[in-house]
Amino acid sequence: MYKLINFAIRLMEQQNNNPEFLPSQNPIINPTQNPDINPDQNPEINSSQNPNINYTQTPDWKQNQWNLFKETIIWEYLNENQRLLCKRYLQSL
């Protein structure tokens, strides 16, 4: 989940122009400022602490990560193309 969140954050920083949609400008979508989307601070999205999203624990880890990712606040700030790129990125892992 850490890689997927970081990919989404980098994508938003590169593609978005509106400060509201830039993690560096908006603490709600910045993992260093919002513990809900920081895998180091939220055990539910930390693959070391959540076996449902750990690739060594379950064969469905990618789908489970995707489902969990869609529940994060980040999802609301991504456009459709960015969501598709995030899904492709997760599939490539």
Side-chain angles (χ1 to χ4, degrees):
M1 194 74 167
Y2 180 79
K3 288 181 180 182
L4 180 56
I5 288 173
N6 280 340
F7 179 81
I9 296 302
R10 284 191 312 274
L11 192 61
M12 288 190 290
E13 285 291 338
Q14 292 171 355
Q15 294 184 351
N16 297 347
N17 295 322
N18 182 339
E20 180 184 352
F21 293 88
L22 292 171
S24 61
Q25 306 276 327
N26 184 343
I28 293 171
I29 54 174
N30 186 328
T32 60
Q33 296 179 13
N34 183 347
D36 290 338
I37 56 173
N38 185 331
D40 293 330
Q41 296 179 0
N42 182 346
E44 184 180 351
I45 62 170
N46 184 319
S47 62
S48 299
Q49 297 179 34
N50 182 347
N52 291 327
I53 59 171
N54 186 311
Y55 73 96
T56 64
Q57 301 285 325
T58 181
D60 298 326
W61 70 274
K62 287 183 184 181
Q63 184 62 50
N64 295 343
Q65 277 194 20
W66 184 247
N67 294 341
L68 197 54
F69 180 69
K70 292 191 302 187
E71 294 176 16
T72 68
I73 191 71
I74 295 170
W75 185 258
E76 297 174 30
Y77 288 83
L78 295 169
N79 64 39
E80 287 302 317
N81 186 53
Q82 291 168 333
R83 290 174 180 175
L84 181 60
L85 290 171
C86 287
K87 185 162 187 135
R88 287 183 183 158
Y89 174 75
L90 180 60
Q91 290 171 338
S92 74
L93 296 178

